[in-house]
Amino acid sequence: MVSPLHSNGRAELRDEKVVMPFGDLAPRPDIRPEVLLKLSGKLQTTLELSQLIEIFFTEIQQAVLIDGLTFNHAPNNILLSQGKASVHSASYRLQTQQDYMGDLMFHRSTRFREHELANIEGLLSTLVYPLRNALRYHEALAAAFRDPLTGAGNRVALDKTLSREIELAKRHGQDLSILMLDLDHFKRVNDEFGHGMGDRVLKEAVLSMTDCIRQTDMCFRYGGEEFLIMLSSAEEAGALRIAERIRMSINELRFTGDKGTLQVSASIGCSSLKGDDSMESLITRADEALYVAKKHGRNCVISDCDMAIPEPLDKQTVPTPNPNR
Ligand SMILES: Nc1nc2c(ncn2[C@@H]2O[C@H](COP(=O)(O)OP(=O)(O)OP(=O)(O)O)[C@@H](O)[C@H]2O)c(=O)[nH]1
């Protein structure tokens, strides 16, 4: 039997006191079996995490009044809230011997009493299996939209996300820009340093990209060594600044292998959303700008509005082994 509150499970009060409700003197849960049965049945009706937390929040009001509930699963980047945060809180780490299943925080304007904490813990036992199933479902869905090598979004995710973001940006009159990024002379990286090194470069380049963008922006693998970065609420000038930051950050990477140290560079084309743009036209303009960047020596950023004027090229364009490093 899995315990929702593994040995380190605990209820914490806001004033730093720690209560161990399952200690010898702690009260036992006092919940009617039909409440548990009903809750358990309802929780089994969905695999969607947000729905699951909503059902749990609504249903447990029958046993304990709470103002708000927060569910946090940092490894999967999940943060869900119901109701509102309040002065007092009780938090639980849900952990079985195999799985970490997240942290739940219950909020209330008045202190939780010990018998209420015991009831919350009794109710939590119904959440464990549905929550584990929902987390697995969430992970499977996320994997279906991710490039397995780099962790960037894949083409399926790109089509879904970019078309939705374009629609939203148009409806709310917001800016949206994209960057099309291609690593320069990547074939030489594979040929001279091996495919393993090529893979390493791809992974590190994606980390550089994601380090330079906001959480609301997204990076997708468009093809082999080509990436599309979606910048929400970014106008052309802002997008060019981010693109330049990414270009420099990739150019600063160093990879040491048997044949010395490798430096890579990237060319970037940028396009910003216009009123009559479709996803295809936005991508085509970024692609054309990327083509100009390649043509004018690589390791530079070109905007779709600025395709005739290439950046000054004082940078290294070819990955070079440097045996002295
Ligand atoms: N290691 C590795 N290589 C890949 C992967 N996907 C594509 N490639 C390689 O990326 C290279 C792309 O080569 P090209 O299209 O000629 O482009 P390039 O050498 O980067 O030249 P420019 O784009 O003109 O600067 C090919 O050799 C592909 O095999 C991958 O997942 N891993």
Side-chain angles (χ1 to χ4, degrees):
M1 173 67 188
V2 180
S3 161
L5 302 172
H6 198 234
S7 52
N8 58 356
R10 68 199 187 285
E12 283 174 16
L13 293 188
R14 191 60 181 255
D15 60 5
E16 304 293 316
K17 269 191 222 156
V18 176
V19 180
M20 297 300 292
F22 283 162
D24 287 347
L25 299 174
R28 301 217 143 271
D30 171 27
I31 311 159
R32 281 178 288 128
E34 59 269 26
V35 172
L36 276 180
L37 210 63
K38 184 172 161 233
L39 176 61
S40 178
K42 288 214 168 178
L43 291 173
Q44 283 169 36
T45 59
T46 183
L47 282 171
E48 283 289 342
L49 274 169
S50 54
Q51 276 175 16
L52 191 73
I53 297 302
E54 189 182 343
I55 292 172
F56 189 68
F57 173 69
T58 310
E59 293 296 317
I60 68 165
Q61 305 283 355
Q62 294 186 32
V64 186
L65 280 178
I66 56 168
D67 295 335
L69 175 61
T70 310
F71 173 72
N72 184 10
H73 193 281
N76 281 345
N77 224 354
I78 301 167
L79 181 62
L80 299 167
S81 289
Q82 286 289 316
K84 57 179 187 328
S86 246
V87 184
H88 294 277
S89 62
S91 57
Y92 293 86
R93 169 155 291 223
L94 300 184
Q95 174 101 49
T96 67
Q97 266 166 0
Q98 296 82 31
D99 298 313
Y100 163 66
M101 287 183 294
D103 286 283
L104 272 173
M105 189 179 272
F106 299 84
H107 305 275
R108 203 167 71 175
S109 56
T110 53
R111 270 170 194 273
F112 288 96
R113 293 168 187 276
E114 287 196 28
H115 73 273
E116 289 176 313
L117 292 171
N119 281 349
I120 287 178
E121 286 161 25
L123 294 162
L124 277 174
S125 64
T126 59
L127 184 64
V128 175
Y129 285 113
L131 182 60
R132 196 185 57 181
N133 292 342
L135 280 168
R136 288 191 177 155
Y137 176 68
H138 175 91
E139 282 159 6
L141 271 187
F145 292 114
R146 213 178 289 141
D147 165 47
L149 176 68
T150 62
N154 61 19
R155 286 293 287 265
V156 181
L158 168 64
D159 289 347
K160 244 173 106 95
T161 313
L162 187 56
S163 54
R164 191 191 59 214
E165 287 294 315
I166 288 176
E167 202 187 302
L168 281 176
K170 281 185 181 174
R171 193 181 318 151
H172 300 295
Q174 284 178 341
D175 292 312
L176 175 77
S177 296
I178 62 166
L179 308 177
M180 198 61 107
L181 180 152
D182 190 276
L183 294 171
D184 297 328
H185 297 298
F186 195 67
K187 189 170 178 319
R188 291 189 203 170
V189 174
N190 279 330
D191 291 349
E192 291 173 25
F193 286 80
H195 211 265
M197 178 64 99
D199 286 355
R200 226 179 101 195
V201 171
L202 289 169
K203 286 191 229 174
E204 288 290 326
V206 167
L207 288 179
S208 290
M209 292 174 220
T210 46
D211 277 353
C212 292
I213 60 180
R214 289 182 295 224
Q215 278 226 316
T216 45
D217 301 331
M218 282 186 79
C219 172
F220 302 93
R221 190 167 181 190
Y222 196 70
E225 59 349 332
E226 192 170 2
F227 296 88
L228 188 150
I229 299 145
M230 186 189 75
L231 304 169
S232 303
S233 307
E235 81 300 352
E236 191 203 354
L240 286 175
R241 272 198 304 277
I242 297 166
E244 186 57 18
R245 215 187 300 154
I246 292 174
R247 184 197 67 75
M248 286 195 302
S249 151
I250 288 178
N251 203 219
E252 278 163 13
L253 295 173
R254 297 292 182 274
F255 301 89
T256 306
D258 298 344
K259 297 194 176 153
T261 298
L262 167 72
Q263 180 180 11
V264 292
S265 66
S267 301
I268 305 178
C270 169
S271 66
S272 301
L273 189 69
K274 294 178 183 166
D276 57 352
D277 258 331
S278 62
M279 184 169 85
E280 289 72 25
S281 63
L282 185 67
I283 292 178
T284 301
R285 286 208 313 283
D287 230 354
E288 286 167 357
L290 171 62
Y291 176 77
V292 175
K294 289 276 182 188
K295 217 166 151 238
H296 286 278
R298 300 176 172 83
N299 194 16
C300 62
V301 177
I302 301 285
S303 143
D304 61 337
C305 305
D306 202 22
M307 283 200 268
I309 313 163
E311 301 267 299
L313 294 170
D314 54 348
K315 300 138 199 161
Q316 189 176 353
T317 58
V318 182
T320 38
N322 179 350
N324 299 323
R325 294 202 190 185

